[in-house]
Amino acid sequence: DDATAVLGWGGYDRGWEQVCQRWEWAAGQFKSGAPVTYENLSTVITAELAYTTDVETFRVQLDGMDTPTQWSNRVTHIFRLESGEWRLVHRHGNRLERQYRPSGRLS
């Protein structure tokens, strides 16, 4: 029930039912592609929680597009140890962009 997701295509989701619906919707946006690659920036593991920060790169064909495209996201995954297995309880991902001045994006 405490699963959360803050994803790149807007909004956020709370609770497994909402998170699962979002993942299913997101999967439907992809027509084909190569496996996702990850560049790990950091991994921290404690007795009950762990997190990773990564750059995640896609080369895919999206629904509604005729040619493949590529982009990278910066992502954080938080895991909790439950009954001896690591479970993903939070994902935050958004498009990797170059550094910019915040005032340049606000009107």
Side-chain angles (χ1 to χ4, degrees):
D1 289 336
D2 60 352
T4 54
V6 180
L7 305 175
W9 291 326
Y12 65 91
D13 300 287
R14 184 179 323 158
W16 178 243
E17 186 174 324
Q18 285 184 2
V19 171
C20 184
Q21 287 176 9
R22 174 64 72 101
W23 278 102
E24 292 295 325
W25 174 85
Q29 306 308 305
F30 296 91
K31 288 171 64 174
S32 64
V36 177
T37 61
Y38 290 89
E39 174 191 347
N40 182 255
L41 304 177
S42 67
T43 298
V44 174
I45 302 171
T46 70
E48 296 177 355
L49 288 174
Y51 74 84
T52 63
T53 56
D54 300 280
V55 174
E56 168 185 83
T57 300
F58 294 84
R59 178 150 180 81
V60 296
Q61 187 171 349
L62 295 172
D63 189 40
M65 294 181 72
D66 293 329
T67 59
T69 188
Q70 180 172 312
W71 77 90
S72 295
N73 293 327
R74 52 189 182 174
V75 297
T76 301
H77 291 117
I78 300 175
F79 302 88
R80 179 175 50 220
L81 190 61
E82 295 180 0
S83 302
E85 294 185 16
W86 290 104
R87 304 279 185 182
L88 180 64
V89 294
H90 178 76
R91 173 185 164 89
H92 182 180
N94 62 310
R95 193 172 184 131
L96 178 64
E97 299 180 88
R98 292 184 180 173
Q99 185 176 359
Y100 59 86
R101 290 179 57 98
S103 61
R105 297 250 175 125
L106 301 174
S107 56

